[in-house]
Amino acid sequence: MADRSATSVLFGFDFQANAAIVLMLENIKDMSHIRLEGCEDIDIKLNDGSHIFAQAKSVVKSSSDFTNVLKNLKKSLISLSDAYRTSHDNVKELIYITNSLNPFKEKHPNTIFWGPAQRKFASLPNDLQEKVFKALEGIENPLDTDKLKIQILPFETDNYTERYKAVIAVIGDFISHLGTNSIERSRIHEIWAKDLFLSGTRKDKSINLKKKDLIWPIIVLVTDNDDYDEYDVDDSEADELLSAYKDIINICSEKYEFVTRVLSDYNNFKTEDKSTKLESFIKSEGTNFRYLFDDTSIKLSNDLQEILIQIIIRNIIRKRIRVNHIKDAVNL
């Protein structure tokens, strides 16, 4: 029994992180922060200061086990009502998201929840609205149903490809929208799922993930380049640079701000010969970015440090159109 219980709990945490990815991408342009296990299972803060609160409830055998789906609905509505009561004026949306294919335990499930689906309360059939009202009975100051949405995210089986299929599809649509189809979707999924999960393990509930922190991995992958043929280095030095590049670009304390600074400084850099602007900028301003090596354990010779700075700056500037497109697409 203990093993089954542990499996269910861990499966629930996994579903919660993946549900957060989907809700995050649905609101990416308006989102400023996101956190798991804040005021709710998922708390998305928007640029205008309002919040989207979500309760994420999963069932390990979601396509066949409907034993507790109404209990899950009731618990979620109680929690969402508490959040609504606490943050009444700052709630944009209240979401109950689950992987159950039959979240209302119907004898003959309605096809409105076939596959990935979401329905605002007002769009639910009358019999399902009645089940929501019944679940709200006895709750002091219940939530405003005008703000309520029921959402289904398929998420089942021990086959990882199948379990994450719907989430990966959402990530794929997002990447396509950014025009960055070369990025591996599963890699972004892995990074986001880990970062979101860890956000929920922090005791200080004021600590959350900023949108720029979540977009940073995409910018890193877009500007990545392991071709060092244009530099005067041997194979061993190229390997050393490649390893250091991946380390320093991931531990840079400023991260997104660093890219912004490079592009801003480059745009403001004045030179008479525009054809050599990039090389002139690197030669003139490259030393300003040596702080990247401060407080790191990366050990490179001064010559290789200089080359690595050139590589990072050159990659960012060469891909600046794509970087700017990403920033515009997510409203950064």
Side-chain angles (χ1 to χ4, degrees):
M1 179 66 70
D3 288 343
R4 288 198 295 274
S5 176
T7 298
S8 178
V9 170
L10 292 173
F11 184 88
F13 286 143
D14 193 14
F15 175 74
Q16 185 182 26
N18 281 273
I21 291 173
V22 171
L23 297 181
M24 172 188 79
L25 293 180
E26 290 177 352
N27 298 278
I28 194 68
K29 294 200 75 168
D30 297 323
M31 186 191 87
S32 64
H33 302 76
I34 186 171
R35 170 174 177 121
L36 269 58
E37 298 296 337
C39 295
E40 282 298 306
D41 286 348
I42 302 168
D43 179 357
I44 298 175
K45 186 176 181 181
L46 305 178
N47 294 325
D48 64 4
S50 64
H51 290 259
I52 294 173
F53 293 124
Q55 274 285 307
K57 291 288 185 286
S58 63
V59 181
V60 174
K61 297 181 179 180
S62 60
S63 60
S64 59
D65 180 9
F66 311 123
T67 307
N68 296 310
V69 293
L70 291 180
K71 289 182 180 178
N72 288 342
L73 175 65
K74 176 75 172 181
K75 289 178 181 178
S76 295
L77 292 177
I78 290 173
S79 184
L80 291 171
S81 292
D82 288 343
Y84 178 70
R85 188 164 51 250
T86 302
S87 307
H88 186 279
D89 295 329
N90 290 315
V91 176
K92 179 182 179 182
E93 202 167 32
L94 301 165
I95 301 174
Y96 170 52
I97 184 167
T98 179
N99 67 331
S100 176
L101 302 185
N102 187 8
F104 287 94
K105 200 176 183 180
E106 299 175 86
K107 291 183 179 179
H108 304 288
N110 197 306
T111 56
I112 63 170
F113 291 125
W114 182 262
Q118 51 183 275
R119 282 294 190 102
K120 290 187 176 181
F121 174 80
S123 71
L124 293 174
N126 290 335
D127 60 328
L128 299 189
Q129 289 190 18
E130 286 301 320
K131 288 194 174 186
V132 172
F133 282 131
K134 185 174 181 179
L136 288 170
E137 287 179 0
I139 299 177
E140 185 179 356
N141 299 319
L143 56 79
D144 181 355
T145 54
D146 286 342
K147 296 182 181 292
L148 179 63
K149 183 167 73 176
I150 310 296
Q151 189 159 344
I152 310 301
L153 175 64
F155 192 87
E156 193 179 31
T157 84
D158 289 335
N159 182 311
Y160 278 23
T161 300
E162 183 65 23
R163 178 187 294 188
Y164 303 121
K165 182 168 61 178
V167 182
I168 295 292
V170 173
I171 294 174
D173 289 343
F174 174 67
I175 289 175
S176 295
H177 176 67
L178 296 181
T180 55
N181 290 321
S182 61
I183 293 178
E184 188 178 351
R185 302 171 187 181
S186 60
R187 177 59 179 145
I188 293 296
H189 172 254
E190 177 186 348
I191 293 170
W192 281 347
K194 178 183 177 182
D195 288 349
L196 285 163
F197 172 80
L198 290 177
S199 78
T201 65
R202 295 173 174 174
K203 292 183 179 180
D204 185 349
K205 294 185 182 299
S206 66
I207 300 176
N208 45 41
L209 283 171
K210 298 179 178 65
K211 175 163 57 179
K212 61 186 179 181
D213 297 327
L214 291 158
I215 297 302
W216 172 249
I218 293 178
I219 293 177
V220 169
L221 292 173
V222 164
T223 58
D224 196 5
N225 180 12
D226 58 3
D227 182 8
Y228 299 135
D229 291 343
E230 61 187 290
Y231 302 97
D232 186 20
V233 295
D234 58 32
D235 289 344
S236 63
E237 290 174 326
D239 290 341
E240 195 175 357
L241 285 169
L242 177 60
S243 175
Y245 178 92
K246 293 185 181 301
D247 287 342
I248 205 164
I249 208 74
N250 282 308
I251 64 176
C252 173
S253 61
E254 293 182 347
K255 293 188 176 181
Y256 175 79
E257 287 82 357
F258 164 69
V259 171
T260 300
R261 179 183 171 187
V262 170
L263 294 178
S264 176
D265 287 359
Y266 180 73
N267 288 335
N268 294 328
F269 184 73
K270 304 299 182 183
T271 180
E272 294 182 1
D273 187 355
K274 291 186 178 181
S275 66
T276 60
K277 181 178 179 179
L278 174 57
E279 299 308 321
S280 297
F281 174 76
I282 291 174
K283 183 177 180 180
S284 173
E285 307 297 320
T287 55
N288 295 339
F289 299 96
R290 282 191 174 275
Y291 70 86
L292 284 174
F293 293 94
D294 294 345
D295 302 320
T296 75
S297 60
I298 297 173
K299 304 298 182 183
L300 290 176
S301 66
N302 289 337
D303 288 344
L304 287 183
Q305 277 192 24
E306 184 176 345
I307 291 174
L308 182 55
I309 290 172
Q310 292 178 17
I311 291 170
I312 294 172
I313 294 173
R314 186 173 280 108
N315 287 350
I316 290 171
I317 294 174
R318 283 176 174 173
K319 303 290 182 65
R320 65 187 181 280
I321 294 177
R322 294 177 69 184
V323 170
N324 285 329
H325 179 68
I326 291 171
K327 291 167 61 179
D328 290 342
V330 301
N331 194 25
L332 268 175

